[in-house]
Amino acid sequence: MQSKWKIIHAIYALQVVVLLISGWLLSSPAIRESLSKFHVYFREAHIATGFILVISMIGIVCRMPRNVWKTGNINYPLAVILSFAMAVTGMMLVFGIDFGGEISVHSLHRYNAWTVTVALLLHVASVYLVGRQESLSESQIVGKNDMMPVTNRRMFINWLIALGAIVGVGSITKFLQGDDAPKSEGMAIQYKDCNKMQPLPVPSLGSIPPIGGGHKGEFEVFTVTEIPCSHSETWQFAISGLVERPLEMTWKQFLNLPRKVQVSNFHCVTGWSVYDVTYEGVSISALLEVVGGKPDGRFLKFTSSDGVYTSALSVEQAKMSDVMMVVLMDGEPIPSSLGGPVRLIVPQMYAYKGVKWLTTIEVLENPHMGFWETRGYENDAWVSKK
Ligand SMILES: Nc1nc2c(c(=O)[nH]1)N[C@H]1C(S)=C(S)[C@@H](COP(=O)(O)O)O[C@H]1N2
Ligand SMILES: [Mo]
């Protein structure tokens, strides 16, 4: 390699490694919990490096010798193609653009990252194993004199191997993640459920069949703790603090609260969304009517039965008509992995406001900063207005 390319190569490699590591830190469930304090910094570092990579990529493509596509050396084109795919899906995540549900940009981005990881490992291995030949073929690209295009046949085989590797890696990761469950067979198969709630909530009109036609896109099961399994005998719901009539409710009593059905979208701040979810639950404004809020109670604190996760809204925000404590999703009890038996949804805000395994609401005079809010995410989590 010429020394100029050596430097460019080293800088590029460093950026890719930083992206893979920060991306892994962002997406690994174990680390999501233990290093949650740094989550927002990992995210910022990841996005910043991503933008720098886009700039370097443009630079490299502009300086790349024309014949690079004809030499049969797939390293450069493959690096460009994979980086391009990562950059496009990454930008879509940052700017909240997606394909409207059928394909999740988030899973494409991750699929891509696995492909990059494997391609990178293969590249490193091949350089170590056939180091000399490798540098020879690099000189074919970079050197001005011997631009020796390889035969079409050789090039075809190279590309076939590259494509095979990409498809193979994708299938293996899909298999390892085990998200091949058929969508049509219902939530119980698609998402794990360890709750034992009796009786089950009876869906109202509109929930079955779901008026939204069933959710589009897939939920990433996000949790900073173990998933708690709830039992109707021990499950309890409480609303306390600055209210006229504090309440403690059993599961049966909770099921007696009037419910309504709505269709809404779900947006995680990390960029993935789920659309047209038909939710049935109890609106917070209805609950506040029952307990009677005191005038100096201006904020609500929501606590999960996991004992760790909290979030908060102002009373004004919580009274928005689409803020609800959900018991049914698309006509089925919301599974424990998605926050059942009762989870909060705040459709107009990012989903970190949507406390899963919700069991306690406190009405407070002063704002409360929740789990992610104390770790750098905005307390006012509006998806669009700002
Ligand atoms: N108890 C609890 N609630 C939680 C979280 C959590 O870690 N614990 N994560 C939040 C975040 S960041 C998101 S995106 C959504 C994810 O919901 P899902 O797992 O149903 O997709 O739940 C929110 N509510
Ligand atoms: Mo999230």
Side-chain angles (χ1 to χ4, degrees):
M1 257 197 269
Q2 288 180 351
S3 64
K4 187 188 77 186
W5 276 99
K6 244 185 191 156
I7 294 168
I8 292 175
H9 181 267
I11 293 174
Y12 202 73
L14 183 71
Q15 289 167 10
V16 171
V17 169
V18 169
L19 280 170
L20 287 176
I21 292 174
S22 55
W24 178 71
L25 289 170
L26 280 173
S27 65
S28 155
I31 284 168
R32 236 179 121 74
E33 181 183 2
S34 58
L35 293 183
S36 61
K37 268 207 178 85
F38 309 104
H39 181 92
V40 172
Y41 303 112
F42 292 153
R43 183 166 181 267
E44 276 164 11
H46 188 76
I47 293 173
T49 317
F51 275 105
I52 296 171
L53 188 90
V54 171
I55 295 166
S56 340
M57 204 179 78
I58 294 171
I60 289 174
V61 172
C62 291
R63 309 293 317 250
M64 209 157 53
R66 280 283 159 80
N67 73 335
V68 79
W69 301 96
K70 293 185 191 156
T71 57
N73 180 327
I74 56 174
N75 287 336
Y76 290 88
L78 204 56
V80 169
I81 289 169
L82 289 176
S83 310
F84 183 75
M86 293 261 46
V88 169
T89 49
M91 298 264 218
M92 289 177 81
L93 287 176
V94 170
F95 296 114
I97 306 163
D98 66 35
F99 302 115
E102 285 309 315
I103 310 166
S104 128
V105 179
H106 202 255
S107 58
L108 270 183
H109 196 67
R110 283 205 305 199
Y111 177 107
N112 237 311
W114 281 108
T115 318
V116 171
T117 309
V118 173
L120 194 73
L121 292 176
L122 288 176
H123 176 64
V124 172
S126 78
V127 171
Y128 270 100
L129 291 178
V130 281
R132 284 185 175 278
Q133 272 158 296
E134 186 75 13
S135 52
L136 251 185
S137 61
E138 309 241 4
S139 75
Q140 284 175 359
I141 295 168
V142 183
K144 289 229 159 72
N145 299 324
D146 49 353
M147 294 184 174
M148 238 178 42
V150 296
T151 60
N152 282 343
R153 190 188 148 86
R154 178 82 195 119
M155 194 148 88
F156 180 72
I157 291 172
N158 279 349
W159 279 102
L160 214 60
I161 293 171
L163 283 179
I166 291 174
V167 173
V169 171
S171 323
I172 291 168
T173 43
K174 261 249 142 100
F175 175 75
L176 288 180
Q177 289 171 351
D179 54 10
D180 272 332
K183 275 191 183 173
S184 53
E185 290 189 51
M187 234 91 70
I189 294 182
Q190 204 180 341
Y191 302 103
K192 289 198 184 84
D193 186 18
C194 61
N195 286 338
K196 297 200 164 52
M197 307 304 283
Q198 285 300 331
L200 292 176
V202 179
S204 342
L205 212 66
S207 260
I208 273 192
I211 43 175
H215 67 277
K216 293 165 191 73
E218 277 182 55
F219 291 91
E220 311 263 336
V221 174
F222 270 2
T223 172
V224 295
T225 61
E226 296 275 303
I227 293 175
C229 303
S230 306
H231 198 290
S232 37
E233 294 300 305
T234 49
W235 187 86
Q236 258 206 336
F237 179 82
I239 173 161
S240 63
L242 301 168
V243 293
E244 305 289 349
R245 298 169 290 277
L247 265 183
E248 275 192 8
M249 276 182 264
T250 63
W251 174 242
K252 265 195 182 145
Q253 289 167 328
F254 194 88
L255 287 183
N256 281 333
L257 294 171
R259 297 198 293 267
K260 55 176 200 168
V261 180
Q262 76 185 35
V263 179
S264 50
N265 300 330
F266 187 102
H267 306 284
C268 171
V269 70
T270 61
W272 55 273
S273 299
V274 182
Y275 297 89
D276 298 339
V277 197
T278 304
Y279 286 118
E280 181 177 329
V282 181
S283 74
I284 296 287
S285 62
L287 182 74
L288 287 176
E289 302 250 311
V290 175
V291 294
K294 290 184 177 169
D296 52 350
R298 292 186 294 123
F299 297 92
L300 298 190
K301 173 185 172 188
F302 302 91
T303 306
S304 166
S305 72
D306 62 23
V308 172
Y309 200 88
T310 65
S311 190
L313 296 171
S314 70
V315 166
E316 210 177 35
Q317 293 166 350
K319 278 184 172 167
M320 289 188 296
S321 63
D322 55 354
V323 176
M324 63 155 68
M325 303 179 284
V326 172
V327 293
L328 291 155
M329 182 178 129
D330 289 341
E332 292 179 47
I334 187 149
S336 58
S337 52
L338 301 186
V342 176
R343 88 167 296 168
L344 186 70
I345 56 152
V346 187
Q348 296 177 58
M349 293 192 173
Y350 285 115
Y352 60 88
K353 289 289 176 186
V355 174
K356 312 208 299 185
W357 316 297
L358 176 70
T359 47
T360 309
I361 300 177
E362 285 160 87
V363 182
L364 307 172
E365 190 177 348
N366 297 311
H368 162 79
M369 296 290 273
F371 185 90
W372 283 118
E373 290 88 337
T374 51
R375 290 164 175 81
Y377 282 129
E378 301 261 330
N379 205 11
D380 282 331
W382 300 110
V383 173
S384 57
K385 45 180 150 166
K386 266 225 162 169

